[in-house]
Amino acid sequence: MSQSDRGLRRLAAGTLLVAFQGTTAPDWVLRELENGLGGVTFFGFNVADPDRLRSLTASLRAAGEPVISLDEEGGDVTRLAYHVGSPYPGNAALGAVDDAELTHRVYRAIGSELAACGINLDMAPDADVNTEADNPVIGTRSFGDDPALVARHTVAAVQGLQSVNVAACVKHFPGHGATRVDSHLAIPVVDVTLDVLRARELVPFRAAIGAGTKSIMTAHVAVPSLTGRTPATLSPAALTELLRGELGYDGAVITDAMDMHAITKSVGLAGGAVLSLAAGSDLICLGPLPTYDDVRHIIDEIVAAVRDGRLPAARLEEAAARLAALRAWFGSAASPSVEQNGVGLHAARRAVRLTGAMEPLVEPLVIEVDTPPTIAVGDVPWGVGPWLPQAEIIRVKPADADVPVLLAKATDRSLVVVVKDAHRNEASRELVSALVTARPDTTVIEMGLPIWRPDSAAYIATYGAARANAQAAIELLTA
């Protein structure tokens, strides 16, 4: 391979953010980092404990200058606390409190934990304006449905993370909040005019750019008035004309995971990588599914696209320059100390809401209504069990629940029903309604968005299912 060929391959590899299985780095990842690979992104299965994560990130840094990233939003979407649930409430809870200084403190604490583990980029905050109640992928990940509220908390989150030298990655541009389809499964459509997009979806992104966010993540959503049928991740109109041109953004643009069906079922991994780079992205996040063979194929396809004119070499050089600037910023400050200081629980306590009146608990029976996790969240534990050890807790699937049997077990006992996003699940609503009709003294705890509520004696809204949210709810229940 000639020197020019090696240089081109290095530029191509530099645009990739790869993932791998396990808690140690495979040899191929270390080897590719030495050859210019852009970086890695972690998922829950990569994180065992802080010490092992520090060892992992140190091994990656020894091989190159990688972007080391993960999705740590707090709330339902957590990687550091994937196996136990997050100690921080998510954005919906922070939006419900609506104290931007508190949001800054929470994200500064999250950033401190990440920096202490060697993470230099957090794929957060979620800046989507959640205007669609039946949104299957955003929901409690959003600060709310008001553009101005979402904007001020997005700014606070960006500044909180970046105050401890962890780059923010504001997502999902140009907005995923008005969708009813999960882009992990298909291409969602945001069918609004450009005027609506500017007045609603783009408000938080414009604010984040003003606040100096170091990166922005693209969404695999089509906006017919802007991108036609093409997902924004692959659209020059979205990434070059709107984001770079109209909004004036010159930081790093990172794609959402390219192994999502919105991409793989339309243009494929390698084809999507080339199209996205040509559209204006700088770093291609591949997600957890692609293998090393896939990674090599994508690099080869990027090189081939430059050679045959589909992708200007100048685009790769521009991406490399932006990532070099990002790496220089990473190295501009000392690592901070962890400063959690209970701010997560404090925020969750401020967010929790009680409607109605509760009686003291008597041999409580807790029925947790099972809710399938979304792909973005993964199988993170949730529920109230750790904070209510005196209770009998039953986890039921709505379709399989035997209401008479459950009511019989609850005879002469306090009945507590825990649900998550009941407004999105008819079977959950029917089960809760049947229980509450028979037992009007039931306390219902909603650990998703409190959009639907039954006529129960007491109703507790947590605005999220993180560990901190559950603890705050039980403190209220047992006060």
Side-chain angles (χ1 to χ4, degrees), residues 45 48 187 207 219 237 245 247 259 313 315 349 410 464:
F45 47 74
I187 300 175
L247 300 184
D259 57 354
R315 256 289 34 246
R349 286 169 174 159

Side-chain angles (χ1 to χ4, degrees), residues 90-99 103 142-144 149 152-153 351 353 463:
N91 286 359
L94 295 171
V97 176
D98 195 14
D99 178 345
T103 296
S142 167
F143 290 111
L149 179 146
R152 64 178 169 267
H153 288 278
R353 301 286 187 269
Y463 294 89

Side-chain angles (χ1 to χ4, degrees), residues 255-328:
T255 72
D256 206 345
M258 297 292 276
D259 57 354
M260 292 158 65
H261 286 183
I263 302 299
T264 59
K265 299 296 186 185
S266 57
V267 295
L269 267 175
V274 169
L275 289 170
S276 187
L277 289 167
S281 66
D282 302 305
L283 198 54
I284 306 294
C285 179
L286 297 182
L289 298 180
T291 64
Y292 183 33
D293 284 344
D294 293 323
V295 171
R296 283 184 292 194
H297 176 61
I298 294 165
I299 293 172
D300 290 345
E301 183 64 18
I302 293 170
V303 169
V306 172
R307 296 211 183 286
D308 65 24
R310 286 176 289 147
L311 177 64
R315 256 289 34 246
L316 295 187
E317 292 163 355
E318 182 181 55
R322 287 203 182 100
L323 295 173
L326 183 61
R327 290 186 176 96

Side-chain angles (χ1 to χ4, degrees), residues 39-376:
V40 301
T41 189
F42 294 144
F43 292 85
F45 47 74
N46 298 121
V47 179
D49 55 60
D51 287 341
R52 289 167 70 182
L53 186 55
R54 275 190 287 273
S55 295
L56 172 56
T57 58
S59 71
L60 296 171
R61 279 205 176 81
E65 292 184 287
V67 173
I68 304 177
S69 65
L70 43 60
D71 294 84
E72 189 60 51
E73 300 175 15
D76 293 14
V77 177
T78 178
R79 303 297 183 241
L80 284 186
Y82 185 80
H83 304 291
V84 294
S86 178
Y88 303 98
N91 286 359
L94 295 171
V97 176
D98 195 14
D99 178 345
E101 192 272 334
L102 178 64
T103 296
H104 184 282
R105 286 172 57 205
V106 167
Y107 272 88
R108 180 178 171 87
I110 289 172
S112 294
E113 290 200 34
L114 294 177
C117 291
I119 310 295
N120 52 29
L121 187 143
D122 187 9
M123 292 179 171
D126 189 308
D128 297 305
V129 181
N130 197 64
T131 55
E132 173 53 65
D134 196 26
N135 196 316
V137 71
I138 304 301
T140 58
R141 301 169 66 193
S142 167
F143 290 111
D145 60 7
D146 175 72
L149 179 146
V150 174
R152 64 178 169 267
H153 288 278
T154 297
V155 167
V158 167
Q159 292 175 337
L161 286 171
Q162 294 187 175
S163 71
V164 289
N165 246 64
V166 172
C169 184
V170 177
K171 60 190 183 186
H172 306 81
F173 183 84
H176 212 315
T179 62
R180 299 185 68 171
V181 172
D182 187 341
S183 50
H184 293 86
L185 305 174
I187 300 175
V189 175
V190 179
D191 197 3
V192 298
T193 65
L194 286 176
D195 286 343
V196 170
L197 197 75
R198 291 186 180 102
R200 190 177 69 185
E201 273 77 8
L202 297 183
V203 171
F205 291 99
R206 193 183 293 273
I209 291 167
T213 184
K214 293 298 176 181
S215 63
I216 288 177
M217 179 183 286
T218 69
H220 304 329
V221 300
V223 184
S225 60
L226 174 68
T227 71
R229 296 181 178 179
T230 303
T233 297
L234 311 179
S235 168
L239 302 188
T240 298
E241 295 170 28
L242 178 59
L243 182 55
R244 299 294 191 199
E246 182 177 328
L247 300 184
Y249 184 60
D250 195 38
V253 173
I254 303 175
T255 72
D256 206 345
M258 297 292 276
D259 57 354
M260 292 158 65
H261 286 183
I263 302 299
T264 59
K265 299 296 186 185
S266 57
V267 295
L269 267 175
V274 169
L275 289 170
S276 187
L277 289 167
S281 66
D282 302 305
L283 198 54
I284 306 294
C285 179
L286 297 182
L289 298 180
T291 64
Y292 183 33
D293 284 344
D294 293 323
V295 171
R296 283 184 292 194
H297 176 61
I298 294 165
I299 293 172
D300 290 345
E301 183 64 18
I302 293 170
V303 169
V306 172
R307 296 211 183 286
D308 65 24
R310 286 176 289 147
L311 177 64
R315 256 289 34 246
L316 295 187
E317 292 163 355
E318 182 181 55
R322 287 203 182 100
L323 295 173
L326 183 61
R327 290 186 176 96
W329 181 82
F330 290 154
S332 64
S335 295
S337 58
V338 175
E339 45 185 84
Q340 212 267 14
N341 292 332
V343 67
L345 181 57
H346 170 70
R349 286 169 174 159
R350 288 186 61 185
V352 71
R353 301 286 187 269
L354 167 65
T355 307
M358 298 177 297
E359 297 294 327
L361 294 179
V362 178
E363 296 182 48
L365 175 67
V366 177
I367 299 171
E368 294 181 339
V369 182
D370 194 44
T371 303
T374 66
I375 295 172

